[in-house]
Each structure stands twice: as C-alpha cells, then as structure tokens.
C-alpha cells in the first residue's frame, strides 16, 4: 500500500472524507484544494447518514458520494461495513482517509488496510476531553482554554498520535454553541494544514 515518491510527484494525493453531519470541515478541505494550498483531490465522500449535508456539499462539487450501511446500529461501525469500506477505498487508490465529524469508532480492519493513513479532527486539545461534544465538556469543566486537534486514528477513542493542535480561549459568557463556533473557525484552518503535513510524511 506504499506510495512511491515518483507517484507523489506526478499525481495528486487521493483523499476520502467520512462525515456524519454538516461537513464544514469537508468544505474547508475543498476550499484548500481550490485555493491551491492543498495539492490533492477528494475522490469520494461517505456518510453513515443518507441525508447528511456533507453528502450534498460533495454532490454540488461533482464529487462521488456513498452511504455507509452500518446495519441499523446507532453508534457501532460493524466489522463487515469496515471491510467493505476498506475494499472500496483500496480500489479507489485512496492515500488518506479524513474523518470530518464522523461519529463512529474506526477499528480493524480499516486500520489494518490504511495504517497511519486515517486522520481525525477533534474539537478539543487532546488528550483533554475525548469523546462526544468536547466543547460542552470543556465548558462544564470550567476550562479557560480549549481548541482542536488533528491526530492519526488508532484503535482507541481519540488517542492516536497528534499531528497538529490549535488553541481557542473559553470566554466568560460562552454558550456551548458560541464556543463550538469559535473552535470550528480554527478547525477549518487546522485540518487542511494537518493533511498537508501528513501527506508529506507518507
Ligand atoms: C467538528 O467540530 C468536529 O471536530 C467534530 O464534529 C464536528 C463536525 O462538524 N468531531 C467530533 O466531535 C469527533 N469526535 P462538521 O460536520 O461541520 O465538519
């Protein structure tokens, strides 16, 4: 699954983006490609929710989309679904998988098929506040600063090696919504930069 230096020189990096929601981080990847910061191509966008807006963003751009059938489970990402996805993304010769608001845990066999090739963006300064609604966790803990992290995905929950982080202050009158919005501004700068860094290490 190694990518030769010659291939990297002559071909754009091929990205797959997985998300469960609105897809503003996916949009930031599209924007970075369009303004020339990121020399890559998004070859497919996938979601576990058929009506997720991330899929609409991709369709509007002409990027192929697919729905991930998770067998009716609310949170689980069944092994068979991960196996099928690994095959699909290998056939598409994907270099890097970018989780962008994807709310299921990736495990074997996807990790085995794409070692150190799966990234995630998380709305906190890991290792602080892993898991869901990390901005709410930061507020409830009385943190005075939080942020966002891009990391490699491993078998744990938000435990993989950190690639880049950005700080965000928590303001006295912050609500969960205002804090998450301020974190997202940083996410949209951080994720493309971290993808560039990860691609340079392939
Ligand atoms: C982002 O804030 C992302 O960090 C978070 O979901 C949001 C998705 O927004 N991810 C997690 O909480 C993963 N644990 P988006 O759909 O607009 O990119």
């Amino acid at each position: 699954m190694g990518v030769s230096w010659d291939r990297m020189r002559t071909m754009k990096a091929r990205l797959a983006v997985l998300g469960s929601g609105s897809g503003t981080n996916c949009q930031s990847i599209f924007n970075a490609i369009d303004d020339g910061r990121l020399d890559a191509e998004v070859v497919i966008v996938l979601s576990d929710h058929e009506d997720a807006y991330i899929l609409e963003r991709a369709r509007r751009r002409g990027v192929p989309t697919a729905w991930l059938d998770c067998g009716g489970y609310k949170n689980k990402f069944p092994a068979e679904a991960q196996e099928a996805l690994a095959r699909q993304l290998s056939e598409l010769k994907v270099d890097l998988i970018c989780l962008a608001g994807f709310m299921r845990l990736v495990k074997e066999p996807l990790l085995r098929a794409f070692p150190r090739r799966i990234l995630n963006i998380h709305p906190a300064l890991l290792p602080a506040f892993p898991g869901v609604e990390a901005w709410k966790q930061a507020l409830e803990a009385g943190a005075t600063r939080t942020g966002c992290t891009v990391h490699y995905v491993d078998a744990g929950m938000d435990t993989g090696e950190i690639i880049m982080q950005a700080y965000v202050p928590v303001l006295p009158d912050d609500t969960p919504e205002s804090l998450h919005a301020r974190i997202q501004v940083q996410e949209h700068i951080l994720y493309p930069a971290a993808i560039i860094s990860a691609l340079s290490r392939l």
Side-chain angles (χ1 to χ4, degrees), residues 21-25 100-103 120-123 131 158 180 184 187:
S22 154
T24 63
N25 278 289
F102 186 65
M103 302 311 281
N120 181 44
I121 185 147
H122 183 76
D158 304 322
H180 188 207
Q184 287 223 284
E187 287 188 333

Side-chain angles (χ1 to χ4, degrees), residues 16-142:
V17 180
L18 271 68
S20 303
S22 154
T24 63
N25 278 289
C26 182
Q27 187 64 52
S28 79
I29 295 169
F30 291 155
N31 294 348
I33 290 171
D34 291 346
D35 68 23
R37 266 178 296 150
L38 176 55
D39 190 21
E41 173 185 9
V42 177
V43 296
I44 190 164
V45 173
L46 303 106
S47 180
D48 51 340
H49 294 297
E50 265 177 311
D51 56 355
Y53 193 65
I54 191 172
L55 294 178
E56 180 59 21
R57 288 179 194 273
R59 279 192 290 266
R60 285 185 185 183
R61 193 181 164 88
V63 171
T65 61
W67 171 59
L68 284 167
D69 182 355
C70 292
Y73 291 102
K74 195 161 174 273
N75 300 311
K76 195 171 144 186
F77 193 1
E80 314 79 66
Q82 297 204 29
E83 266 158 32
L85 178 60
R87 274 196 302 276
Q88 186 180 11
L89 298 187
S90 298
E91 275 164 23
L92 284 171
K93 302 197 182 323
V94 162
D95 295 306
L96 216 54
I97 302 172
C98 303
L99 307 186
F102 186 65
M103 302 311 281
R104 292 175 196 255
L105 275 187
V106 168
K107 300 240 181 220
E108 305 284 349
L110 199 55
L111 288 171
R112 204 181 324 120
F114 288 87
R116 275 179 81 80
R117 286 172 184 269
I118 309 177
L119 308 187
N120 181 44
I121 185 147
H122 183 76
L125 291 175
L126 291 172
F129 311 126
V132 295
E133 298 189 319
W135 58 91
K136 242 189 213 170
Q137 296 184 49
L139 263 188
E140 282 162 11

Side-chain angles (χ1 to χ4, degrees), residues 175-196:
T175 62
E177 293 71 30
S178 67
L179 180 56
H180 188 207
R182 196 173 320 108
I183 292 170
Q184 287 223 284
V185 171
Q186 293 305 315
E187 287 188 333
H188 300 158
I189 300 166
L190 191 72
Y191 211 176
I195 292 169
I196 292 165

Side-chain angles (χ1 to χ4, degrees), residues 139-187:
L139 263 188
E140 282 162 11
T144 54
R145 63 178 193 172
T146 181
C148 48
T149 303
V150 178
H151 63 94
Y152 289 106
V153 173
D154 65 11
M157 185 193 280
D158 304 322
T159 52
E161 182 188 323
I162 291 170
I163 300 171
M164 280 186 189
Q165 294 184 302
Y167 290 94
V168 173
V170 180
L171 303 180
D173 56 353
D174 259 333
T175 62
E177 293 71 30
S178 67
L179 180 56
H180 188 207
R182 196 173 320 108
I183 292 170
Q184 287 223 284
V185 171
Q186 293 305 315
E187 287 188 333

